[in-house]
Amino acid sequence: MTTRDTIYSVDAACGGKQLLSVLGEGVTQLPPESDGSGNVEYKTKLNPENEARTTHLATQLKWRLAEGNGHAVYVLGVHDDGEVVGISDVELQLTIQTIEDMARQLGNVQISSIDRRRLEDQGDQVVAEVHITQRNIVRRTELRVTVLGDHGAGKSTILGCLTYDEADDGRGKARLNLLRHRHEVESGRTSSITLGTIGFDAEGLVLNYANNRSAEHIFQRSRHVVTFVDTCGYVKHLKTTASAIVGHSPHVFCLVLAADAATVTGTTREYLRIAAVLGVPLMIVVTKMDAALKPQFAAMMHELLG
């Protein structure tokens, strides 16, 4: 991608592609910066103030690089609202120096190109595009799985086993790794949303919290990442579960059913309806097979599939 091909906005009226760059002659206004997504960052100017500030900026750069699969664009001399104001040559050099310091902190990052334009009506003011690339970028795939099921079905226990590589002791030991609040531990009922991550490296080795210190560490080492969203099973917290479904945009629903359940509950039926309405693929995991009676289990499956 060259600097003049940088897309800052998309206009459906122009066939979905409207090229707009700060380097274009006469450009005085860009669309507002997108804080929630994208690899483009607007900066009026940067100063090498202190190491803590540079570390914060480096973290921001790291996120923009991740959004751009190893490529970020810093647009200098522009406010967050897109107003092109320009900066002096000295301020530009200080800003580039700060970006270089940010890149050094990240280790495998470098400035690949710098292009500038002097503003016509302000001869001493310039704007610039700085393209930053990440070396040896690993292309990753991510699968987001939202885990649904009635309370007591074993959702948190399954995820505790998967993400911490720890077998359950039959008394809920595995699920303790995911529970966040004291009342959840005491009641055994999840009332909040918890994320769990596992990954697979290039050789297929499973990476989880047993051999990694954090989700970020798993992500950095993995070629393929699976993010599990553990939801609430108690009907009282159905709104919380619904917000998790909407907020995390799952690729797959995992519906957990307890084999010893007497019947398919209303909550379970509601989850099935949600999956059908949203058109999200659904897989069913059956737990507690050791505690199930064959006639009871057969009747539940007939009710589910009938």
Side-chain angles (χ1 to χ4, degrees):
M1 176 187 286
T2 64
T3 55
R4 294 189 184 276
D5 290 333
T6 303
I7 299 176
Y8 295 128
S9 67
V10 177
D11 188 348
C14 299
K17 290 185 179 180
Q18 178 185 2
L19 299 182
L20 185 60
S21 168
V22 74
L23 299 177
E25 293 298 331
V27 173
T28 60
Q29 181 70 43
L30 298 175
E33 178 189 73
S34 175
D35 290 330
S37 62
N39 68 329
V40 178
E41 179 75 27
Y42 294 173
K43 292 293 183 188
T44 306
K45 60 183 177 180
L46 295 172
N47 293 315
E49 301 169 0
N50 53 62
E51 186 174 352
R53 172 62 176 163
T54 304
T55 300
H56 172 75
L57 292 170
T59 301
Q60 187 180 61
L61 171 58
K62 184 178 180 179
W63 183 78
R64 290 295 186 187
L65 287 166
E67 286 290 293
N69 288 321
H71 173 235
V73 182
Y74 272 56
V75 185
L76 309 180
V78 178
H79 289 329
D80 288 347
D81 62 2
E83 181 186 3
V84 178
V85 294
I87 54 178
S88 69
D89 290 313
V90 173
E91 290 171 331
L92 176 61
Q93 291 305 315
L94 287 173
T95 300
I96 292 173
Q97 178 185 332
T98 303
I99 295 175
E100 289 174 341
D101 291 341
M102 293 153 52
R104 274 193 292 270
Q105 282 204 13
L106 296 180
N108 62 337
V109 174
Q110 64 182 6
I111 294 176
S112 57
S113 67
I114 302 172
D115 292 275
R116 67 198 72 192
R117 173 175 70 92
R118 195 164 295 279
L119 299 182
E120 296 175 355
D121 55 343
Q122 304 177 53
D124 59 340
Q125 299 291 94
V126 296
V127 292
E129 278 182 7
V130 180
H131 285 246
I132 307 159
T133 55
Q134 188 172 10
R135 300 185 296 273
N136 302 321
I137 183 68
V138 177
R139 304 295 177 183
R140 298 180 182 87
T141 60
E142 181 185 12
L143 181 69
R144 293 186 297 276
V145 180
T146 294
V147 184
L148 305 169
D150 212 350
H151 66 89
K155 301 183 299 299
S156 299
T157 298
I158 288 176
L159 295 189
C161 294
L162 287 174
T163 57
Y164 286 85
D165 196 22
E166 181 178 349
D168 188 53
D169 62 355
R171 297 188 298 275
K173 178 183 178 183
R175 74 182 180 206
L176 293 177
N177 294 315
L178 276 76
L179 301 183
R180 300 169 58 187
H181 304 292
R182 181 175 178 179
H183 69 267
E184 292 179 332
V185 176
E186 293 174 346
S187 67
R189 292 175 176 172
T190 303
S191 62
S192 59
I193 304 304
T194 306
L195 302 182
T197 303
I198 65 171
F200 302 88
D201 65 11
E203 285 72 42
L205 177 68
V206 177
L207 305 173
N208 52 31
Y209 298 112
N211 50 21
N212 294 272
R213 61 180 178 269
S214 65
E216 182 180 9
H217 196 216
I218 294 173
F219 185 83
Q220 289 174 346
R221 295 180 58 197
S222 298
R223 188 67 58 88
H224 308 285
V225 178
V226 181
T227 301
F228 294 101
V229 183
D230 187 26
T231 63
C232 318
Y234 198 43
V235 66
K236 175 182 177 181
H237 305 297
L238 184 58
K239 287 186 178 179
T240 303
T241 296
S243 67
I245 293 172
V246 174
H248 291 280
S249 302
H251 299 112
V252 179
F253 285 145
C254 174
L255 179 60
V256 180
L257 296 176
D260 62 347
T263 184
V264 178
T265 67
T267 304
T268 298
R269 293 182 186 278
E270 193 64 34
Y271 293 147
L272 291 171
R273 293 189 193 98
I274 291 173
V277 169
L278 295 180
V280 176
L282 174 72
M283 62 178 176
I284 295 177
V285 174
V286 180
T287 61
K288 304 184 180 181
M289 288 296 296
D290 57 327
L293 298 176
K294 187 174 181 179
Q296 183 183 30
F297 176 65
M300 185 190 69
M301 294 305 295
H302 179 75
E303 182 182 0
L304 177 69
L305 302 175

